[in-house]
Structures are given as structure tokens and as C-alpha cells.
Amino acid sequence: MTQYAFDDTRRALMAVWEAGDGQLARTVAVVPPAPEQEAVLRLSASLTTLSRWVWRTYTHPATAAESVEPNTEGWRRQGERDAFVEVLDHVSNPHLPDEQGSLVQSYVLVEEAAHRVGRALHAFGDQAAARGECGAASICRDV
């Protein structure tokens, strides 16, 4: 399972994997100065959570449950696996708090984890926009 970490010296978001003896790491992205460290840590935690729930669909497949009939464990597991097809859409268009601060959350763990990644990325855009740093090379999104 991939875990994510932030190298604050290089401002790099890192992917980390167990490799038997030790761990391997790769730079996923170099983060511009705009986001605060807390925002990058929230993103790395959200990515790790998404990775954990996606990995769990492989370690706990629906076919290993007694039944896949509605409202059974197998049915729930299949729903988690089926959520894969919309992960990128949820990351790109996450559920955001409304004017009253209410937030729609999903009971499908893979889906909700994808929304959390999207909200973390959305926060990057909010921070950069507040600083007037939205440009072509920025991580700003439509905020």
C-alpha cells in the first residue's frame, strides 16, 4: 500500500512503499510555496487514506464474503470496488461545505476518501488565490 509524506526541506510530496528490507520513496510533486505545510500534510494524509481503502478492496474482495445480496458484507465490499470508476471525478469535483458549513459525506469509504483528497487540493487553490498567486504554473483550480 502506498503511503504519502511531505519532505518539508524540498517541499516535495513523496510516495512511500514497504520493500521488505526498508522502504522506497519517490517524489510525486514539488509543492510551490503557496500552500501552508498544514495543507500539504492534510493532502498527504488524505492520499494515504484513499490508498488504504483502495488497497482494502483487494485484500477484502466481495467474492470472499458469504453473500453479495443487498445489504450484506459482500454487497458493501462490491460497492467499494465499484466506486473506483468515479474517484478522479470526486477528486476533481469534491463535495464542499455549503454556505452554512454543512458537508455531504459518503458512506462508501473509497468515494469519501476521494472527496477528501479533492477538498485538500481545493484548499491549495483557496490559499494561492488569497495570495494572488493563481497563474499558469500554479496549482490553482477553479475556486
Side-chain angles (χ1 to χ4, degrees):
M1 183 196 91
T2 306
Q3 295 184 356
Y4 294 85
F6 179 55
D7 177 346
D8 62 346
T9 304
R10 296 185 315 120
R11 294 203 53 83
L13 183 63
M14 308 291 295
V16 182
W17 302 271
E18 291 286 334
D21 286 337
Q23 297 178 324
L24 296 173
R26 286 231 167 95
T27 299
V28 173
V30 176
V31 181
E36 300 293 333
Q37 180 171 325
E38 181 180 318
V40 184
L41 291 174
R42 187 174 304 112
L43 175 61
S44 67
S46 298
L47 286 166
T48 297
T49 299
L50 177 58
S51 177
R52 180 179 307 116
W53 289 121
V54 167
W55 182 248
R56 191 173 195 286
T57 68
Y58 291 107
T59 62
H60 294 76
T63 55
E66 289 182 24
S67 171
V68 291
E69 294 297 315
N71 300 314
T72 64
E73 179 64 17
W75 174 81
R76 187 193 62 73
R77 289 179 184 184
Q78 187 59 49
E80 294 293 339
R81 182 67 176 93
D82 292 345
F84 282 24
V85 297
E86 295 189 47
V87 164
L88 292 178
D89 183 54
H90 297 318
V91 168
S92 298
N93 303 295
H95 291 153
L96 298 172
D98 64 16
E99 300 81 35
Q100 292 79 34
S102 296
L103 180 66
V104 173
Q105 290 187 293
S106 175
Y107 288 105
V108 178
L109 300 172
V110 168
E111 183 177 306
E112 181 55 30
H115 282 289
R116 289 181 184 203
V117 170
R119 286 192 290 273
L121 287 169
H122 190 271
F124 282 11
D126 286 347
Q127 287 182 13
R131 291 187 172 106
E133 298 171 350
C134 289
S138 172
I139 58 170
C140 289
R141 298 168 25 123
D142 297 326
V143 292

